[in-house]
Amino acid sequence: MTVSHAPQASSLPTRNAAYQQLVAQKNSFLLTMTISFLVMYFILPLLAGFNKPLMASKVMGNITFGYVLAFAEIIMGWVMAAIYVRRAQAFDRMAEEAKR
Amino acid sequence: MTFLLAAIIVAITLGVTFWASGRNSSAGDFYVAGGKISATQNGIAIAGDYMSAASFLGITGLIALNGYDGFMYSVGWFIAYLTVLFIVAEPLRNLGKYTLADMLVYRLKDPRVRTYAAFSTIAVSTFYMIAQVVGAGSLISLLSGNVIKPDLAIPLVGVLMIIYVVVGGMLATTWVQIIKAMLLMAATIVMSVMILAKFGFSFSTLLGAVQDKSGADFLSPGLKYKNPLDLISLCLALVLGTAGLPHILVRFFTVPTAQDARKSVVVAMGLIGAFYAMTALMGNAANVLVGKTAIEAANKAGNMAAPLLAEALGGGHNSLGGQFGLAFVTAVAFATILAVVAGLTISASTSFTHDIYNGVIKNGQASDAEQFRVARIATVAVGIVAILLGLIAKNQNVAFLVSLAFAIAASANLPVILYTLFWRRFNANGAIWGIVGGLVVTLSLIAISPNIMKIDKPDLKTARHLIQRNAIFPLENPGIISIPAGFALAAAGALLGRRRENEEQEFEAMQYRAYTGAGMDGSVAHD
C-alpha cells in the first residue's frame, strides 16, 4: 500500500505541532495496543487447537491450564481497557492543545 | 408464576415505553434519543444489547454439555470489546451522526457509499434478527412448557418489539436494554453466589465435581471444536466482527461526546466481562446439579440449562424456591430476547430512514417530521418482515445466522471502517468494493458450508439443513477466508479507483475531527 502525498498538500490547512504530535503518538499507541491484544488473545484458540495436553494439565487443584488462561484473558481485557483509558486522558489534553 | 413474572416485565417495559413516547418529538430523538443518554446508562445498554439469549442460555448450555469449549466462546465475545474501544467508539462518535454510513460519507464524500453501507447494515441486522426471532419462538415455547407454540411466540415478540420501538424510539429501546441488563446481571450474580456456596467457594471443587460426573475431558478443549481452523475462524469473526455490528455501533451516537463513548465501552466491558466469567460457574454447575441427560431431555442444544439450574439451586422441582428460580430466570430470558430484538429493529429502521429514504431518495431534503413518520413506518415494516421470515424459517437450522452476522460485519464493515480512518489513499470505490466483496464472499462461503449443506437423518423434523448434500467448503465459519478477502478487495478497489482532486484534504479534515472532536456538534444538529 502506497501512502501518496499528492501535490496539493500545500493547500492543506496548517495544524499546530501539538496536533502532529497527537496523531503520531495516538496512531502508534493504537497500533501497539491492538496488535498486543490480538496476539495475546489468539494464544487461547491456538493452544486449544494445537496443544490440548497443555490446556488439560492441572495447575491448581482441579483447575486446568485452559481455565487459568481463559480467566487471565478476561483480566487482560480489563487491564488493557484501563491502560487505554489512562492514556486516552492524556490524548484528550493534547487534543485541547491541538485545537488552539 | 413464569407468566406472572414475564407479564410484570412486559408491563414495566411498556410503562417505560409510554413514558419515553412523551419525550420523543424529532427524528433525532427517535434515532438516537437526541444524543442525550449518559455514558453509564449507555454502557449498561450496550451490555443489554449484546448479552443475548444466545449468550445467556446458549453458552450456559454449551458449557454444561461440552465443558471448556463453551467457555472459550465466552472469552471471545468479551475480548471483542477491545477492538470496539481502541478503534471504533471514539472516531465513530466524532464523525457520525446517526449511522455508520454517516461516518464513511463524512470522509469519502460519495452518496453511493451511503447506499451500500445502509444495505450492509440492513443485511447484518436482518440475519441477526432472523436468528433471534426464530430462537425466540423455540425458546418461548420451550420456556412456557410448550404452552405457547412458536407460531404464536414469534408474532408475540414481533408485536412487542414494534410497540417498544415505534412508540418509544431509541429512548425506550435504551431503557428496555438497561432493565434487561440489570435483571440478567442480578440473576447471574445470585446464581453464582449460590453455586460458590454449594461448592465451598472453590472453583477447583466445582471442576472436581464435573470431572467425577462427566469425565476429565470436560475440563479441557476439544469436545465441541474438533477442527482448529474452524475455531480460529470463529474467534477471528467474533473479535473483529463486534466492531462492525450496526446495533452496537448505533449506541455510540446516543451519547454526547467521544469521551462518553469511551466511558460507555468501559462500563459495558465491566459488566460483560463479569457476566461471561460467571458463565463458567453456571455452565459447570448445571453439568453437576442438573446433569447432561436432564438438560438434553429438555432441549438438545442445551438452551434449558440455565433455567433448570435455577430450579435446582432454588431447591428442586417441587419446592417453592425451585419454582421461583425457574420462573425468574425464564422471565429474564424473555426480557433478554425482547431487548436484543428491539435494538436490532431500531438500527435497521434508522439506517433505512436516515440513509436510504432521506439520504438517497430525498437527497437529504426530507423534513424532520417526515423522517420521524417514515422511521416509524419503517419500524413496522421491519417488524412484519422479521415476523414473516421468522415463521418461514422456524424449522430451519438458523443458529449459524448469528455467526454469519459477525462474519459479514468483520469482512464487509470493519475493513472499510479501518481504511476510512487510517489510510490516506482510501476512497469511495474501495469502500464499495470492500462492502460488496465482503458480503458476497461471506455469503457464498456460507452457502456451500456445512451450515447449509449437510445430510440430516430423515426423521429430523426441526432445524433441518437447506441443502441435503455434503458441504463443499469445510468450515462452519468463513472468517479466516472472508476477512482477509474483505481487506484485500477494499484495498484493490481503492487502488483501482479514480483519484480525486481533494482526497488529501478530505483525509486531513476527517482525521482532525476524529482526533480532536473539533466541529463535533452532538447528535441533534444540522446535517
Side-chain angles (χ1 to χ4, degrees):
Chain A
M1 287 178 246
T2 49
V3 179
S4 66
H5 295 274
Q8 68 269 20
S10 58
S11 63
L12 293 176
T14 45
R15 308 280 194 218
N16 62 22
Y19 176 69
Q20 313 293 353
Q21 215 185 349
L22 170 68
V23 171
Q25 289 189 12
K26 194 167 178 180
N27 279 351
S28 86
F29 175 68
L30 291 181
L31 189 67
T32 317
M33 291 291 276
T34 306
I35 290 176
S36 336
F37 104 77
L38 285 176
V39 168
M40 285 196 274
Y41 169 61
F42 274 95
I43 291 174
L44 183 74
L46 284 171
L47 285 180
F50 297 105
N51 197 343
K52 290 190 177 106
L54 173 67
M55 295 295 268
S57 63
K58 293 186 177 171
V59 288
M60 279 186 262
N62 292 309
I63 303 175
T64 53
F65 181 78
Y67 270 108
V68 174
L69 184 62
F71 282 115
E73 296 267 356
I74 293 182
I75 292 165
M76 183 270 289
W78 282 327
V79 170
M80 290 200 75
I83 296 173
Y84 174 82
V85 167
R86 249 187 98 91
R87 191 69 198 271
Q89 283 158 356
F91 289 137
D92 285 347
R93 286 190 293 275
M94 289 172 78
E96 285 308 310
E97 284 284 305
K99 278 190 277 188
R100 287 208 186 116
Chain B
M1 183 140 55
T2 307
F3 291 100
L4 181 68
L5 288 174
I8 292 173
I9 291 176
V10 170
I12 293 173
T13 49
L14 284 177
V16 166
T17 304
F18 285 99
W19 161 78
S21 74
R23 290 160 174 260
N24 280 344
S25 54
S26 70
D29 289 342
F30 181 89
Y31 297 145
V32 293
K36 283 180 285 205
I37 304 287
S38 82
T40 309
Q41 288 169 352
N42 193 40
I44 303 173
I46 292 172
D49 215 350
Y50 195 62
M51 297 183 294
S52 60
S55 327
F56 177 51
L57 302 176
I59 291 184
T60 309
L62 271 179
I63 300 175
L65 299 180
N66 301 289
Y68 181 83
D69 276 356
F71 186 52
M72 204 156 44
Y73 209 65
S74 281
V75 176
W77 285 73
F78 165 68
I79 290 291
Y81 271 87
L82 287 176
T83 320
V84 178
L85 178 66
F86 295 167
I87 298 170
V88 300
E90 294 173 48
L92 191 69
R93 170 63 284 194
N94 277 341
L95 298 176
K97 200 170 150 201
Y98 301 136
T99 61
L100 172 63
D102 287 345
M103 170 188 141
L104 303 178
V105 173
Y106 182 82
R107 165 166 177 207
L108 302 170
K109 310 269 188 263
D110 187 327
R112 290 175 305 160
V113 172
R114 188 178 286 286
T115 315
Y116 288 102
F119 181 69
S120 157
T121 293
I122 294 169
V124 174
S125 305
T126 309
F127 286 130
Y128 211 113
M129 190 136 60
I130 296 171
Q132 296 289 336
V133 168
V134 172
S138 58
L139 282 177
I140 290 170
S141 95
L142 188 66
L143 296 167
S144 66
N146 225 358
V147 177
I148 304 176
K149 297 253 184 280
D151 289 326
L152 178 62
I154 291 173
L156 179 76
V157 168
V159 168
L160 274 172
M161 111 200 153
I162 291 174
I163 295 174
Y164 290 146
V165 178
V166 168
V167 177
M170 181 52 102
L171 187 60
T173 306
T174 304
W175 277 102
V176 169
Q177 287 166 346
I178 292 175
I179 293 169
K180 164 268 165 112
M182 297 201 297
L183 284 171
L184 183 59
M185 284 312 283
T188 315
I189 291 170
V190 170
M191 283 165 75
S192 297
V193 171
M194 289 169 82
I195 291 161
L196 284 170
K198 256 199 158 59
F199 293 92
F201 290 93
S202 156
F203 188 54
S204 173
T205 311
L206 173 59
L207 288 184
V210 172
Q211 180 173 327
D212 293 343
K213 181 134 182 165
S214 305
D217 285 354
F218 269 69
L219 311 189
S220 61
L223 283 179
K224 180 165 173 66
Y225 303 110
K226 309 277 184 212
N227 179 352
L229 276 186
D230 225 341
L231 175 64
I232 289 162
S233 196
L234 170 74
C235 289
L236 263 179
L238 277 180
V239 102
L240 300 177
T242 304
L245 286 179
H247 66 293
I248 299 297
L249 297 181
V250 74
R251 291 237 52 97
F252 296 113
F253 299 117
T254 67
V255 292
T257 65
Q259 285 74 24
D260 293 309
R262 179 197 308 152
K263 200 177 154 204
S264 317
V265 187
V266 172
V267 171
M269 283 185 78
L271 291 171
I272 294 171
F275 171 77
Y276 284 119
M278 288 187 283
T279 58
L281 296 173
M282 294 197 298
N284 281 308
N287 179 295
V288 177
L289 300 174
V290 183
K292 261 186 87 165
T293 326
I295 294 169
E296 279 185 327
N299 171 258
K300 273 256 175 300
N303 282 326
M304 282 301 277
L308 290 174
L309 172 67
E311 184 183 63
L313 286 169
H317 191 59
N318 293 318
S319 71
L320 189 64
Q323 283 174 3
F324 180 78
L326 179 68
F328 185 69
V329 165
T330 304
V332 168
F334 179 63
T336 288
I337 293 166
L338 291 178
V340 175
V341 172
L344 288 164
T345 308
I346 200 161
S347 72
S349 53
T350 296
S351 191
F352 176 79
T353 313
H354 176 65
D355 294 330
I356 307 265
Y357 177 75
N358 184 34
V360 177
I361 300 175
K362 291 277 174 171
N363 236 332
Q365 302 300 312
S367 72
D368 194 81
E370 203 178 339
Q371 289 189 51
F372 195 22
R373 188 172 55 84
V374 172
R376 293 160 150 200
I377 297 170
T379 304
V380 176
V382 168
I384 291 172
V385 169
I387 294 171
L388 291 178
L389 289 175
L391 289 172
I392 292 169
K394 71 174 193 287
N395 290 330
Q396 304 293 332
N397 171 17
V398 292
F400 75 90
L401 287 177
V402 170
S403 47
L404 172 62
F406 274 88
I408 295 178
S411 318
N413 293 355
L414 191 71
V416 173
I417 295 175
L418 281 178
Y419 286 144
T420 299
L421 288 175
F422 298 105
W423 189 21
R424 254 166 218 280
R425 179 72 177 80
F426 197 55
N427 53 30
N429 199 52
I432 294 168
W433 277 50
I435 292 171
V436 176
L439 259 169
V440 169
V441 171
T442 312
L443 287 174
S444 320
L445 288 177
I446 287 276
I448 54 171
S449 77
N451 297 302
I452 302 275
M453 300 178 76
K454 196 174 187 177
I455 300 172
D456 293 316
K457 292 196 188 89
D459 58 337
L460 189 70
K461 289 282 178 287
T462 57
R464 286 186 71 82
H465 291 81
L466 272 176
I467 302 174
Q468 295 289 320
R469 292 185 54 183
N470 283 317
I472 301 167
F473 180 69
L475 302 180
E476 294 207 342
N477 203 298
I480 203 165
I481 306 287
S482 66
I483 297 170
F487 275 99
L489 287 168
L495 294 172
L496 293 173
R498 202 153 43 85
R499 304 293 301 266
R500 284 158 54 103
E501 211 180 300
N502 293 329
E503 60 183 29
E504 190 80 3
Q505 282 97 324
E506 284 160 7
F507 178 79
E508 290 288 340
M510 179 282 299
Q511 192 181 51
Y512 188 64
R513 177 149 154 182
Y515 280 47
T516 64
M520 215 277 292
D521 44 14
S523 292
V524 221
H526 59 88
D527 213 328

